[in-house]
Amino acid sequence: MLKATIALADLAFDPRWDGQAVAFGASRIEPFAHPALETLLVRTDGQWFATVRERRTEGGAPARQLDVDAAEFEQRYRECLLWPLDYAMVEAAQAGCRLKLRAGVFGALPVYARATDDRLELSWDAGDLTRAPTALDFEIASHRLALHTIYSARQIAVGIVMLTERASLSVEPGKASYHYPPPVQVTTLAQARERDAWLASFAAQLREAVDARPFVAARSALELSGGMDSATVACGLAAIAAPRSSLGILLEGETRPPQLKRRGAIVERLGLHDETVEIAARSPSLDLRPVPGQRLGFNQEYYLEACAALWDRAASLGCDRLYTGVGGDELFPDYLHELASEGDTLEAQRERTHRAQVDTLLTPRAREAARGLHSFGAPAGPVPATALAAQACRAADIARRGLWPVNPLSDPRLARFCHQLPLEQRRGRALMQRYLQQQLGEDTFPAGYRKETFEQVFPALIAAQAGMLTEQLRECALADLGLVDRRGVMALLDAVAASQARAPTAVLVSFLWMERLARQWG
C-alpha cells in the first residue's frame, strides 16, 4: 500500500505532505495512488503517524494532513488501528528516531521491508528491494520446493520481511524487531438452525462483505472463471448494484465445454459485458533466462501471462478495481475431529502425493530442512493463511496495472460465519452451492458439479518444451546452492515429459519458478 526510503536520522525532522508523499528530510513515504485509497498524516508534538487505507465511501481528498493536540492524536490513532478495512500505518517518535510499521487484517497489498543499521526500505513490490545483492533463504526455499504453503514474515530473500496481517515492525538506529499478533480463538461451531436460515444468513454476510467498500460499476471488473467462488462474488455484487464487466481465462481440454456453458449462463443471467483470454494463446513462459529490467516477486502467479492480459484488458476498459474469488477455497474447511484420521486432511494427502518426487529432486540437506517443523509461520488470523498467501502471489502484479484487488470471500467476518457452520452446511460447499442455485438456477451448479482447473496446462507445455529446458538446465543455480540434485532435476523433467502426470508436474513447476528467481539474483 506504500513505498518508502527512510534514513532513520531524518525522523528527527517534522513530516509534511508535499502533494505526492509524506516527506521529512531527504526521506519519503509514497502511498499507492489510487481512488480506492486515502492517506492521513496526523502530527502532534514530538510524534506523528501516517496511514494509507481503503476508503469506506467514494470521493473525498486523496490525502489530509492534521495538526492536533495529544488527546486528539490518541483518538485518531485508535481510530486508525480499528479501521474496518485494510491499511498500512507508519508511526514515528522523533526523539530517538524510532519508527513502527503496522498492517491491517486483509493483506490486500502487503508491504515488504528491508532494514539496515540506519536505513529502512519499504515497498508493496518485493522486486524493488532486490536491487541490492540478495541471497536465497535455504530453509524457506526447501519448504517451497516441497510445496509447503508458508505465510510468514520471513521470505525467500534473506534480510527481507513481509508485513503479515496485524503484524508490526519496529525500527530504531541499529535495531529492528518484528512482532506477530496473538492468534485468533479456536472456532466454535454454531448451534443448529433451520436450513433456510443458514442460506439467508450467508446471503446477508456476503452482502456485507461486498458492500463494505464503495462499488462503482463503471470502474469495476470481475474475474469470472465459471467456478463457484467467482460466481458467488458476481451474485453478491448483483445484490447491491448491477455489475457490468466480467473477465475470464478460457481453458482447454475436457473442462472447457462445461466452463463455457457455466460462464455463458452466469453472464446472461446477470447481464454482464464479458471479455475472455484463451490460455492457449497466453501460455506460461518456461524460459529460465532472466528478462532485463524485470524483477520477480517472492510469490509468483504461475499463469501470469494469461492473468496479465486479463488485467491489462480491465485497465483498458477504464476499470480501477478488480473483484476476485480469492478466499473461497478456505470458507468451508473440514476439521480434524470430523475426519476419519489426520491422514485424510488435504495437506496430508498432498504431502503423500508429492513426497516421492520431492525426495528425488532435493539434496539430503534440503530434504531435512523441508521435513523440519518450522516455527516462523504467522499465527492463525481472521483471514485464513492460504487465502493471504494467494493474495500475495497476485497483488503486486494487479497493482502495477492501476487496479486495486478486492477479495470479498476473504472478508474476516464472512470467514468466521462460514467456519462456524455445522458440517452438513460446509461439506462440499453445500451452502454456497445452494446460494448459487437460488440466485442463478439449479442448472448452473448442479449436484456433482466439477470444478474447472488449470492443472492440465503445464504437463503438455513442459512435454513440448522439454528440449529447451534440458538445454537451459545444463547449468542449474539451485544445484549450485546445494538445494537440488542435478540428476534428480533431469529425472523429474524426463518423467513429466513422458507421463504428463500432475503430481511430478507440480513439483517441477515449483522448481522452475525458483530456478528463474535464483538466476535473476545471480
Side-chain angles (χ1 to χ4, degrees), residues 390-466:
Q391 291 169 195
C393 287
R394 320 168 79 232
D397 286 304
I398 292 172
R400 288 191 199 101
R401 290 158 173 84
L403 300 170
W404 180 254
V406 184
N407 312 298
L409 302 189
S410 294
D411 183 273
R413 292 164 290 270
L414 177 62
R416 180 176 176 81
F417 167 78
C418 291
H419 291 180
Q420 292 179 327
L421 291 169
L423 177 61
E424 66 272 12
Q425 300 297 329
R426 282 181 284 113
R427 182 63 56 85
R429 304 188 184 199
L431 184 58
M432 179 183 280
Q433 189 168 19
R434 285 201 296 125
Y435 171 78
L436 290 170
Q437 290 173 345
Q438 181 189 67
Q439 300 296 316
L440 299 170
E442 293 192 3
D443 59 324
T444 310
F445 291 95
Y449 148 75
R450 184 179 176 186
K451 183 179 180 180
E452 74 290 334
T453 175
F454 284 92
E455 287 182 342
Q456 79 280 7
V457 174
F458 272 113
L461 188 64
I462 290 171
Q465 299 186 30

Side-chain angles (χ1 to χ4, degrees), residues 125-242:
D125 186 345
D128 289 342
L129 305 186
T130 62
R131 294 190 177 96
T134 305
L136 212 65
D137 185 306
F138 191 93
E139 185 178 9
I140 293 286
S142 299
H143 280 289
R144 292 275 289 273
L145 287 168
L147 303 189
H148 298 160
T149 299
I150 296 177
Y151 179 69
S152 75
R154 188 172 164 186
Q155 295 293 293
I156 198 168
V158 174
I160 297 176
V161 297
M162 182 179 75
L163 206 66
T164 57
E165 62 88 23
R166 297 178 298 141
S168 64
L169 174 66
S170 299
V171 183
E172 58 186 273
K175 182 181 179 181
S177 57
Y178 192 98
H179 301 279
Y180 279 130
V184 296
Q185 295 180 345
V186 176
T187 300
T188 302
L189 297 185
Q191 297 295 319
R193 296 166 61 182
E194 291 293 329
R195 190 169 181 264
D196 289 344
W198 289 121
L199 186 59
S201 294
F202 178 77
Q205 291 283 343
L206 176 63
R207 178 169 182 145
E208 285 187 18
V210 169
D211 208 18
R213 300 162 183 81
F215 175 69
V216 183
R219 303 209 315 268
S220 300
L222 164 70
E223 285 189 336
L224 186 66
S225 66
M228 292 176 69
D229 298 336
S230 59
T232 298
V233 174
C235 291
L237 287 171
I240 64 167

Side-chain angles (χ1 to χ4, degrees), residues 52-113:
V52 183
R53 62 194 186 188
E54 288 188 281
R55 291 182 182 274
R56 300 180 67 183
T57 57
E58 186 67 16
R64 291 181 295 153
Q65 177 179 310
L66 302 176
D67 292 316
V68 299
D69 60 24
E72 185 177 350
F73 183 89
E74 184 64 25
Q75 176 190 340
R76 297 273 185 180
Y77 179 73
R78 286 198 304 270
E79 175 189 279
C80 289
L81 287 181
L82 297 174
W83 192 251
L85 300 177
D86 211 12
Y87 68 85
M89 183 175 176
V90 179
E91 54 189 270
Q94 290 171 285
C97 297
R98 293 172 289 126
L99 176 146
K100 180 177 285 188
L101 178 67
R102 294 183 183 272
V105 171
F106 291 82
L109 186 60
V111 173
Y112 298 84

